[in-house]
Amino acid sequence: NASHVHPLSKKVVDGTKSRKVKTTHLLHIDEHDFTMRPAFAGPAVPVGVDVQVESLDSISEVDMDFTMTLYLRHYWKDERLAFPSSTNKSMTFDGRLVKKIWVPDVFFVHSKRSFIHDTTTDNIMLRVFPDGHVLYSLRVTVTAACNMDFSRFPLDSQTCTLELESYAYTDEDLMLYWKSGDESLSTDDRISLSQFLIQKFHTTSRLAFYNSTGWYNRLYINFTLRRHIFFFLLQTYFPAILMVMLSWVSFWIDRRAVPARVSLGITTVLTMSTIITGVNASMPRVSYIKAVDIYLWVSFVFVFLSVLEYAAVNYLTTVRDGKERKLREKSLPCTCDMSHARTMMLDGTYSEADANSLAGYTRASMAAEDASEKQERMVVHLSLDNESTGTKKKGIRSFRIIQNTHNIDTYSRMIFPGAYILFNLIYWCVYY
């Protein structure tokens, strides 16, 4: 008896197996040629677009491009897809139906690489409304070119643009527009970049002309990025400042300490060269001067000038000492008959106390030396009073030390820091 059959034993009818509700029949897909756009040979079909930026993945200065992941949504009306519905509810499909109907052929202008995400299936959604309105959404990652100006790097701001356009349909066939104006673009508040501060996103649109094909509607996603300066202060500017200041230390080192001053100058020059090479290695090979180039090369010049300053000091000291030595040789009296006269040549590194301690030494004749092997020396002339002491030494009657001095180091201690501080004031006022 059928009235006694348990309810669970009744077979539930699956409506999707019914031929009359099959998608291709419900949407009349087999009855139309979807290789043609809606209203073919008629007015241009309006296609609204809105974009949700999911992430701004990277900005590459070397390749001059950026990578962005976004949700791209298209809105249009295709009356061929209208279907009867008593509830006025839409139907949602995945990417498999997209290949059977007409969809806008939007592409990214100046893109280098792009792909539709396919985990776990193609990230495509198609929603059809009873009146024929269609929402077509896909998740895309695109790498596009960005013309960057590095003349103010790293104190720069960059404006990049992602451009959308129909590939085949001119403005006479497809009218591409932002669906809700500036509100058509939305971004995730958590979007951030390590080197940049994202200042603003905004949308624009205009017509693009191609000589061979005509006019096309083009949509623009514009965003402005301002570079964080703190990283470059730590990695570039502060080390350069310290190297310049280190080169000034040589002005306080005695000019006779040749190894100390030369090694300090060479070390700072090589360090500045390393900093410049490191900065340029991470930058494109542009043909104009960047702001960081100006700072580093001026700092390099300051370091190099400190080396040249010591070269000038050492040369002038040698020339002046040679002239004074010749004058002393001409002015010294003959000491052939003075048994207690003592003439000594002491190394310039000796102190005055060391010179005094040599008063009791017996006179020694000066050996001839080649002029190229002579070092900087100071002449200490010791003479004893022969008449009052006879053959007994009583002490030094007169003591004279002739030593050359130069004011170049003294002036450099003020000129170099003053000029570098002035340069920094001008630089940061102009570029920051």
Side-chain angles (χ1 to χ4, degrees), residues 334-346:
C334 181
T335 60
C336 298
D337 298 331
M338 299 176 63
S339 59
H340 296 287
R342 293 166 174 81
T343 304
M344 299 180 181
M345 189 71 74
L346 303 178

Side-chain angles (χ1 to χ4, degrees), residues 180-278:
S180 304
D182 286 338
E183 296 181 358
S184 301
L185 178 63
S186 59
T187 58
D188 193 331
D189 295 336
R190 295 174 295 178
I191 296 178
S192 63
L193 293 170
S194 59
Q195 289 192 28
F196 292 92
L197 173 65
I198 303 175
Q199 291 187 319
K200 63 177 179 178
F201 279 87
H202 66 280
T203 61
T204 55
S205 62
R206 61 175 65 96
L207 290 174
F209 178 73
Y210 297 89
N211 291 329
S212 56
T213 54
W215 294 91
Y216 293 81
N217 293 113
R218 183 177 294 181
L219 306 181
Y220 298 82
I221 301 174
N222 307 297
F223 56 96
T224 303
L225 306 171
R226 182 170 181 83
R227 196 182 306 273
H228 293 301
I229 186 60
F230 188 71
F231 171 81
F232 295 94
L233 287 177
L234 292 179
Q235 298 295 322
T236 304
Y237 286 96
F238 285 164
I241 292 173
L242 292 178
M243 286 302 103
V244 174
M245 295 176 65
L246 184 61
S247 68
W248 300 339
V249 175
S250 64
F251 303 149
W252 277 266
I253 300 177
D254 188 88
R255 67 177 185 276
R256 296 180 184 84
V258 178
R261 294 190 65 164
V262 171
S263 60
L264 180 61
I266 296 300
T267 300
T268 53
V269 168
L270 293 178
T271 304
M272 284 301 305
S273 300
T274 303
I275 295 174
I276 294 174
T277 302

Side-chain angles (χ1 to χ4, degrees), residues 39-54:
F40 186 77
V45 54
V47 176
V49 174
D50 69 35
V51 171
Q52 180 179 346
V53 179
E54 180 182 10

Side-chain angles (χ1 to χ4, degrees), residues 81-348:
L81 297 175
F83 62 91
S85 175
S86 58
T87 59
N88 200 30
K89 289 184 178 181
S90 62
M91 292 191 299
T92 301
F93 307 93
D94 58 19
R96 287 171 288 188
L97 185 63
V98 173
K99 300 177 181 179
K100 299 180 180 181
I101 66 171
W102 180 90
V103 294
D105 58 342
V106 174
F107 78 105
F108 298 101
V109 186
H110 305 308
S111 66
K112 298 180 178 180
R113 297 173 298 277
S114 62
F115 63 91
I116 299 175
H117 290 258
D118 55 2
T119 305
T120 56
T121 60
D122 291 342
N123 295 175
I124 297 176
M125 185 267 289
L126 186 71
R127 182 170 295 168
V128 182
F129 294 85
D131 59 355
H133 280 89
V134 181
L135 164 60
Y136 172 47
S137 176
L138 60 160
R139 182 168 175 254
V140 184
T141 293
V142 56
T143 300
C146 177
N147 294 324
M148 301 182 185
D149 181 13
F150 296 108
S151 58
R152 299 178 66 89
F153 176 88
L155 306 167
D156 58 331
S157 296
Q158 302 294 342
T159 299
C160 296
T161 302
L162 184 62
E163 306 173 13
L164 295 84
E165 182 181 304
S166 171
Y167 189 83
Y169 298 101
T170 64
D171 62 335
E172 296 179 353
D173 292 319
L174 189 146
M175 184 180 69
L176 204 63
Y177 69 97
W178 289 113
K179 185 174 182 295
S180 304
D182 286 338
E183 296 181 358
S184 301
L185 178 63
S186 59
T187 58
D188 193 331
D189 295 336
R190 295 174 295 178
I191 296 178
S192 63
L193 293 170
S194 59
Q195 289 192 28
F196 292 92
L197 173 65
I198 303 175
Q199 291 187 319
K200 63 177 179 178
F201 279 87
H202 66 280
T203 61
T204 55
S205 62
R206 61 175 65 96
L207 290 174
F209 178 73
Y210 297 89
N211 291 329
S212 56
T213 54
W215 294 91
Y216 293 81
N217 293 113
R218 183 177 294 181
L219 306 181
Y220 298 82
I221 301 174
N222 307 297
F223 56 96
T224 303
L225 306 171
R226 182 170 181 83
R227 196 182 306 273
H228 293 301
I229 186 60
F230 188 71
F231 171 81
F232 295 94
L233 287 177
L234 292 179
Q235 298 295 322
T236 304
Y237 286 96
F238 285 164
I241 292 173
L242 292 178
M243 286 302 103
V244 174
M245 295 176 65
L246 184 61
S247 68
W248 300 339
V249 175
S250 64
F251 303 149
W252 277 266
I253 300 177
D254 188 88
R255 67 177 185 276
R256 296 180 184 84
V258 178
R261 294 190 65 164
V262 171
S263 60
L264 180 61
I266 296 300
T267 300
T268 53
V269 168
L270 293 178
T271 304
M272 284 301 305
S273 300
T274 303
I275 295 174
I276 294 174
T277 302
V279 171
N280 291 332
S282 61
M283 295 296 299
R285 298 176 181 178
V286 294
S287 59
Y288 50 85
I289 298 176
K290 304 181 291 293
V292 69
D293 293 335
I294 295 176
Y295 195 91
L296 292 180
W297 279 105
V298 170
S299 299
F300 183 85
V301 169
F302 271 91
V303 172
F304 188 73
L305 287 178
S306 68
V307 178
L308 295 183
E309 185 270 350
Y310 177 62
V313 167
N314 186 272
Y315 174 76
L316 294 176
T317 300
T318 304
V319 171
R320 183 172 178 179
D321 287 353
K323 292 181 179 179
E324 291 186 352
R325 187 176 295 111
K326 292 180 180 180
L327 292 176
R328 288 195 297 272
E329 290 175 355
K330 293 180 180 179
S331 61
L332 286 176
C334 181
T335 60
C336 298
D337 298 331
M338 299 176 63
S339 59
H340 296 287
R342 293 166 174 81
T343 304
M344 299 180 181
M345 189 71 74
L346 303 178
D347 196 334

Side-chain angles (χ1 to χ4, degrees), residues 412-423:
S412 297
R413 296 170 189 172
M414 297 181 292
I415 294 175
F416 274 73
Y420 196 65
I421 291 173
L422 178 62
F423 161 71

